[in-house]
């Protein structure tokens, strides 16, 4: 298994840092009413999506290089899926009290990306268990599906 993350994403770290400013910026009227919490949620969710994608890929690389055993991969991926479930519930609570349509759309898009990250984690866990080429392809499909969505949401395209 080739190294998926370091070669492709190393140069994007600077872009992500620049994108945080764009992601967390609120429209003028919403910005006046915002006490910083929505901006913090936007920035934290952007950072978390990005680092979750990297963590899944790093786990896949470690597994592919015989650093992690099947059980370790499954434990790590199970933990990620569970944490993302909690985050999605919390984002839905924020969305209930959010009046700005752009912020609501950002939360919807973030939850969709989190769903894709969960799928990637599940597919990696399955592949780690079976080591079957079909499951590896399913993981690859999930991995290559989520990254463009992250790029679009964070303005990295």
């Amino acid at each position: 298994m080739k190294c998926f993350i370091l070669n492709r994403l190393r140069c994007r770290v600077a872009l992500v840092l620049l994108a945080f400013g764009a992601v967390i910026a609120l429209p003028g009227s919403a910005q006046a009413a915002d006490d910083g919490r929505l901006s913090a949620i936007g920035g934290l969710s952007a950072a978390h999506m990005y680092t979750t994608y990297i963590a899944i890929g790093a786990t896949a690389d470690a597994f592919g290089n015989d650093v992690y055993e099947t059980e370790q991969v499954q434990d790590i991926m199970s933990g990620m899926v569970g944490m993302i479930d909690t985050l999605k519930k919390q984002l839905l609570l924020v969305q209930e009290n959010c009046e700005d349509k752009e912020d609501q759309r950002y939360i919807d898009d973030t939850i969709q990306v989190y769903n894709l990250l969960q799928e990637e984690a599940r597919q990696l866990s399955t592949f780690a268990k079976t080591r079957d080429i079909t499951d590896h392809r399913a993981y690859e499909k999930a991995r290559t599906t989520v990254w463009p969505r992250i790029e679009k949401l964070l303005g990295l395209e």
Side-chain angles (χ1 to χ4, degrees):
M1 188 180 300
K2 60 186 174 185
C3 180
F4 299 116
I5 300 304
L6 294 178
N7 294 333
R8 293 186 60 210
L9 299 180
R10 187 175 290 154
C11 65
R12 296 181 190 244
V13 172
L15 291 173
V16 168
L17 294 175
L18 292 173
F20 286 155
V23 169
I24 64 175
L26 296 172
S29 61
Q31 204 166 23
D34 179 30
D35 63 3
R37 287 182 281 190
L38 288 177
S39 295
I41 289 167
L44 289 169
S45 65
H48 185 259
M49 284 181 281
Y50 184 82
T51 57
T52 298
Y53 179 80
I54 290 174
I56 294 170
T59 303
D61 289 343
F63 178 71
N65 289 304
D66 298 321
V67 175
Y68 285 162
E69 299 292 326
T70 297
E71 295 78 20
Q72 290 171 295
V73 172
Q74 291 179 314
D75 287 346
I76 293 167
M77 294 304 104
S78 176
M80 284 191 180
V81 168
M83 283 189 283
I84 291 171
D85 277 336
T86 299
L87 289 172
K88 290 189 311 185
K89 289 175 188 171
Q90 292 170 338
L91 285 171
L92 288 171
L93 290 173
V94 170
Q95 191 177 44
E96 285 178 13
N97 298 305
C98 183
E99 295 176 13
D100 186 271
K101 295 296 181 195
E102 288 182 40
D103 291 337
Q104 290 176 356
R105 187 172 56 247
Y106 176 81
I107 291 171
D108 284 338
D109 292 344
T110 298
I111 289 170
Q112 289 174 8
V113 168
Y114 276 137
N115 288 335
L116 293 171
L117 286 166
Q118 286 180 308
E119 178 63 17
E120 181 186 8
R122 287 183 185 109
Q123 292 298 336
L124 177 57
S125 183
T126 299
F127 170 64
K129 181 179 180 181
T130 67
R131 297 179 187 252
D132 184 83
I133 190 69
T134 303
D135 293 325
H136 183 263
R137 287 185 189 123
Y139 162 71
E140 280 296 311
K141 182 178 182 201
R143 183 184 68 80
T144 58
T145 298
V146 70
W147 179 248
R149 297 289 301 274
I150 293 171
E151 279 185 315
K152 182 177 180 184
L153 188 59
L154 300 186
L156 300 175
E157 356 176 59

